[in-house]
Amino acid sequence: MHDDTLLTALTRCFDADREELRGVALRLTGSAAEAEEVLAAARAELGREGAVAVRAWLAGRVGQACVRGLQERAAAGRTGSGTVGGGGPAAGVRGGVDAVWLALLVVLESLGVEERRAYVLHDLFGLPPYETARVTGGSPVDAARLARRVRERIRGGGAARADVDPGRQRAVVERFLAAARARDARALAAVLAPDAVAYSASGPVHGAPAVAEAAASFARLADVARPALVDGSVGLVAFVAGVPVAAVAFALRHDRVVVLDITTGEDRVRALDLAFPDG
């Protein structure tokens, strides 16, 4: 859709639902005057961020369709194995998914505005950091950092604290580094959880095989990489001529990597909080 046509369509939808949107703004701000200011600002932003907003909404709809499909598939499988009725395992699957969504909503409610926006755009809708930053108004590094902070809270603790034993954390990092240096995609995949996710400037990729391929961009620098704490999370930093040019922060689960946050570019890496425990 052409940008002008998209803007016209968005504006018409906005104006048609203005009263409902005003009610949302009023409930959130508690002030009629502030609600009107928010509406005016949101309408003005349609021209700048309309395409991003639509893409985010569409991504959300696709995600909902995926959840429904998984629920239906699980229900069909349970029914096929001889379990029928509303109170069977299928109902438990639905209840489990609903519980997860409820827990997520509770966490989102506890977040600050900037954290919530960054996490929803970056992690849930899969926008890369530079596009998330366009919406949040910060830098790509800040957007990724905010999303990572929320992700760690949702997982019940930071990546550096996910496994109690620092030695086990370090062993996982060393395994990843060794596989990267060997350019061994199979060995890399073995270090990754099956549901691993990698976040980078190009957006997220899901699943151990795809994440192993995404890690190849870091692998070419692995010969000059060092274990480090990246914004408090266990990770690696790669150097060229003594200058840090890439970093990856890990989240670990059961001695495997479940999340990788990859940052590239000298300026962006320098903006991270880096520490090298090994001196």
Side-chain angles (χ1 to χ4, degrees):
M1 183 183 294
H2 192 277
D3 287 348
D4 291 341
T5 305
L6 174 62
L7 176 58
T8 299
L10 285 173
T11 302
R12 286 177 178 172
C13 290
F14 188 97
D15 291 341
D17 294 327
R18 190 177 186 88
E19 289 307 312
E20 182 176 348
L21 296 173
R22 179 183 288 109
V24 172
L26 182 59
R27 286 191 294 273
L28 289 173
T29 64
S31 165
E34 289 185 22
E36 287 298 333
E37 291 179 3
V38 168
L39 286 178
R43 195 177 191 279
E45 289 174 357
L46 289 178
R48 296 194 299 271
E49 306 296 349
V52 173
V54 170
R55 185 159 58 253
W57 181 83
L58 291 174
R61 298 298 295 177
V62 170
Q64 291 173 0
C66 289
V67 170
R68 287 196 302 271
L70 291 171
Q71 290 174 333
E72 292 168 0
R73 186 187 309 169
R78 300 296 186 184
T79 303
S81 63
T83 302
V84 296
V93 172
R94 290 193 298 272
V97 172
D98 289 342
V100 171
W101 280 111
L102 179 59
L104 176 60
L105 290 174
V106 170
V107 173
L108 292 178
E109 183 67 22
S110 71
L111 301 175
V113 175
E114 294 303 320
E115 288 180 322
R116 186 185 302 120
R117 289 168 62 188
Y119 177 73
V120 169
L121 293 172
H122 185 270
D123 278 31
L124 297 189
F125 292 152
L127 295 188
Y130 69 90
E131 289 196 16
T132 301
R134 287 180 56 213
V135 180
T136 61
S139 69
V141 169
D142 290 335
R145 179 178 287 143
L146 285 170
R148 181 161 60 246
R149 184 186 305 163
V150 178
R151 189 187 313 129
E152 291 171 351
R153 189 181 306 179
I154 290 173
R155 291 181 180 276
R161 298 179 296 279
D163 289 324
V164 177
D165 185 354
R168 291 174 61 181
Q169 296 177 23
R170 179 63 177 265
V172 175
V173 173
E174 294 288 357
R175 285 168 55 205
F176 179 93
L177 184 57
R181 284 174 173 164
R183 313 298 193 261
D184 189 338
R186 183 174 298 180
L188 273 173
V191 183
L192 303 169
D195 58 341
V197 184
Y199 297 95
S200 68
S202 58
V205 295
H206 299 263
V211 171
E213 291 185 14
S217 61
F218 189 88
R220 64 186 177 83
L221 300 172
D223 292 336
V224 287
R226 293 174 56 191
L229 293 178
V230 181
D231 281 341
S233 299
V234 63
L236 296 165
V237 177
F239 295 80
V240 171
V243 176
V245 295
V248 56
F250 298 120
L252 308 181
R253 185 181 67 212
H254 305 313
D255 294 333
R256 287 194 173 188
V257 176
V258 67
V259 177
L260 300 84
D261 275 297
I262 301 171
T263 303
T264 56
E266 181 180 344
D267 292 340
R268 291 178 180 177
V269 173
R270 286 189 180 278
L272 300 170
D273 181 10
L274 304 177
F276 301 93
D278 59 358

